[in-house]
Amino acid sequence: MLAYWDRQLRCCYANAAYERWFGVEGAAVEGTTLASLLGPELFALNEPHARAALSGEPQTFERVVPHKDGSHRYGLAHYIPDWQGDEVAGFAVEVTDVTELHRVRLALAAEHERCQAAYQRLQRSEAALLQAQRLCKIGSWEWEIDADIVTWSEQLYGLFGLDPRRLPPSYAEHASLYTAESWARLDQAVRALLAGGAAFRLDLQFRRADGTTGWLEGRGAAEIDGAGRVVRLHGTARDISQERMASLSVKRGKKLVALQRLLQQERTHAKKIDQALAQAKKLEVLGLLAGGIAHDFNNVLAAVSGSLHLLKRKIDDPGALELVARGLGAVERATRLVRQLMGFARTQTIDAQLTDMATLLNGCKQLLQLTVGPTIRVLLDTSQTGRVLVDPYQLEVALLNLAINARDAMPGGGTLRLGVHREDAAVAALPTHAGWLTLELSDTGAGMDAQTLARAREPFFTTKAAGQGTGLGLAMVSAFAERSGGHLSLDSTLGIGTTVRLKLPLAAADAQFSPAHEQEVLDRALHGNAQILVVEDDDLVRPTVVQYLSDLGYEVVAVDDAAQALALARTDRAIDLVITDVAMPTVNGVQLAQAVRLLRPQVEVLLMTGHADPGQLAGEAVLQKPFSQATLAQSVLTVLGRRLSRAPSLAHRIRHPSLVAFYDTWSSRRAPRSLATLAAMEIEKQQDMPSIFVVEVIGLVPFELRRLHVGAELDHQANRALDFGFAVAEGDLLFGGLEAAYRRCARRKEPVYEYMRFQTEAGVAVVFERLLLPCCDDTGKPSYMVGMVKMANAGGLPRQPGATVKSEPRFDDPDLAQQVEQLHAHEINRLPFGVIRLDSLGNVEFFSAREAEQSGWDGRPNIGLDFFTRVAPCMNTPAFKGVLDAAIANGSVDAEFLHTGDFADPDRSIRIRALSSADGGVWLFLQRELEEADG
């Protein structure tokens, strides 16, 4: 936009764009004065620039120009003096529209402010997390495996009493921070985690810098990359020294007093955690805390409850009976608190029971009144009651959540009304159940507007101040209602109050329910005539359970760990039922149940738990701690009357009879707490000694073995220079292949079995079977592996039962590669087998559709061999790579693999033909078959 103004500030020229900028039609600008064009306010701002330009000084400035349509425009103006000789005759004006630039600048400024605010929130969140760790006495650590870099939080330095200005100790230096026994357990857990094991939780005794010792709860988990490799470990450490001291005092006789003190401490501690971490971690830390202490609490409560129940039956004094009743009431209240904590932690198993709503509400009215405080009146109307099938403890948690919300909505006091409304099926016309029972809670609080009400059930949505709410209460109640077959509805009016309706299906009229149920279960005629093995590591709970069962007439044997239980299971002693705790050191109750069922398929198992993962207990009979004698008796009767499906023995996976006998020998000569010793295997007396070899484990990192013995038959086969060896040591062919199996056997200390069919260069089809068994020396150290190999001519390349190849080109056609090269990609995808093409460098050039999907290949060329081995685990082995080498050297090779990761997985067979091409590449043709285990 251009214009020219003379010394009288009168326009001599203006182009059309300049006129449109000021909203003037035609050539009306020419001849007008600058003052009349701009108006008084804008002229007052621009006149100093005009006078300066007439004095010979160029001017550049930005101005907001109002338009006649009411909008505002931003312009960048340049006043350029017009020198004529020694005088300035006027000045030229160039105006650039920078409205859009101004808008962008404002947007950038706003975005900068938003980013700055987000950064400040992040800093506050990190500060809150640090403060939370201090309050909870929890430190965190991280270990980057490849770089061997260890990182500690500030709280962890304080836990050990070390200077935070120093670098944290390396992993090896951690040994000096723990007692020898604790370090051995921690090191074993870390090594198992590096080998792909599950996260660990350990109670460890540590040494502070001042020489004193304490106890901490250590937790660790692995971070795995996309290739399945462990790249980093994370963990936490919590000071539990005071808790350990309290536990010891309980065992020394101050049971009830210590329990009350510990309960009060943990409630106070949980409250502090909730306040400190509500904004940073929500319920995560509270869930970990509740889950970690629930098991110990329930064990103590089970012992106290059992002792009081037994005492109640043995005394007649009214005063003593009243004291026992008070004690049982305290235990029941503590049980409810622990179950509520477990409900928040999401670790409690769902235990649906036929529950009378009036009885439940009357039972928890006092707890609700204590929760809302003295300024709020709790009114209860149960005139219309009914029975529903729900978990009563989770229903109590839901009521507490709703009561807390009502309390926060009435800071000045008010009224909380609880009512029950029944809607029978005859009225509701519901064919699926007896009708509906609606639990209604109404408060006289502030209420909610429509926008807040619409979002009230969203997880983490809260209207409370920072640090006062998590936003999970209503979401948890809604989820509970849906799991129970009902639903949650909300009504609220701003300034009047809120009504919550929890609608649950009524139980059928003929459902079994009787307050005298406990006495019916204790009928002695229903019990006895069975031998029960009790496995419980807690010295307080175990005698109580034994007394309960003995009192019912059962013959009971009790042990304190899984090893003793398995030793009894291997004897001829009669056992009808095993009752075991779930959370036990070394071998937990679920693992013990699996082992017992393998040894004795006819024996039933009942699991006791106060805290366990519901998914871990799927399909099992579970008894929640603490429990009464009546509850235990009912569970025993139920379990003794059912049969569970049994998994086949590990030996059923093995094919060759000699290998089966070898495995049975190893199993029968294992000690209760360790592996079979090398001497106990009596290798020299084995009938198939020519097929047996023995290696010694020199080291795990780096992995190194030493050959001690190789049977004559194996030595003969090794001299045939096959591409499929038996172990790894110093480069000879006998110990040259299938290394992964040896690593797994040595590190996990468990048997490894492999089955494979392949074809030699001479065209002879061979069946290969190998069993690796870990053994220990006389001191119990796992230092040896004993193996047996069976190889035999298979009379050609056999197929698995049911495998068919009908389409052309055929899998066994010698001209297969040439024919496939002539097919288009969509035709290749129709073949009855998978196709993979590698170039001379081992990079993937082509996948057929199924192999591309299973390996995650996105079509990019030049992908290395390690990527496509995700198609099948057995392809990531030296034996499979030997197939490629043989194909390149000899033109073709046929092989069949049966590779098992462990005995718990089904055998998967993969048949491969590898053909080399003239350009040095390799065609791979794959056919998978799933084979059921014998038995």
Side-chain angles (χ1 to χ4, degrees), residues 71-89:
S71 63
H72 290 77
R73 301 179 180 180
Y74 294 83
L76 180 63
H78 298 278
Y79 285 5
I80 305 170
D82 180 20
W83 287 91
Q84 296 184 8
D86 296 333
E87 296 183 354
V88 178

Side-chain angles (χ1 to χ4, degrees), residues 517-575:
H517 182 61
E518 179 171 323
Q519 298 301 324
E520 295 171 2
V521 173
L522 290 179
D523 184 358
R524 297 301 190 274
L526 300 176
H527 296 278
N529 298 322
Q531 288 74 37
I532 299 179
L533 172 61
V534 175
V535 188
E536 169 62 67
D537 62 323
D538 194 290
D539 295 335
L540 298 177
V541 179
R542 186 173 58 257
T544 302
V545 178
V546 171
Q547 182 65 39
Y548 275 168
L549 294 171
S550 300
D551 187 59
L552 292 171
Y554 293 105
E555 182 179 343
V556 185
V557 175
V559 297
D560 59 7
D561 61 22
Q564 298 180 56
L566 290 175
L568 285 174
R570 293 189 181 99
T571 67
D572 296 334
R573 186 185 186 95
I575 300 175

Side-chain angles (χ1 to χ4, degrees), residues 2-5 10-16 18-19 29-31 93:
L2 301 174
Y4 184 87
W5 301 84
R10 189 175 299 278
C11 181
C12 299
Y13 169 77
N15 64 2
Y18 193 85
E19 294 172 348
V29 176
E30 296 182 7
V93 178

Side-chain angles (χ1 to χ4, degrees), residues 584-651:
M584 295 189 298
T586 308
V587 177
N588 62 38
V590 177
Q591 296 168 333
L592 174 60
Q594 295 171 351
V596 168
R597 287 165 182 158
L598 290 174
L599 295 171
R600 297 196 180 192
Q602 77 283 359
V603 174
E604 301 294 345
V605 180
L606 175 62
L607 301 179
M608 303 180 294
T609 180
H611 162 61
D613 179 8
Q616 183 186 22
L617 306 182
E620 298 286 355
V622 180
L623 180 60
Q624 287 285 344
K625 294 180 181 178
F627 48 81
S628 64
Q629 186 181 25
T631 305
L632 173 63
Q634 181 186 13
S635 298
V636 169
L637 290 179
T638 301
V639 173
L640 286 177
R642 74 175 187 175
R643 289 292 181 266
L644 298 175
S645 60
R646 305 301 179 199
S649 170
L650 300 183

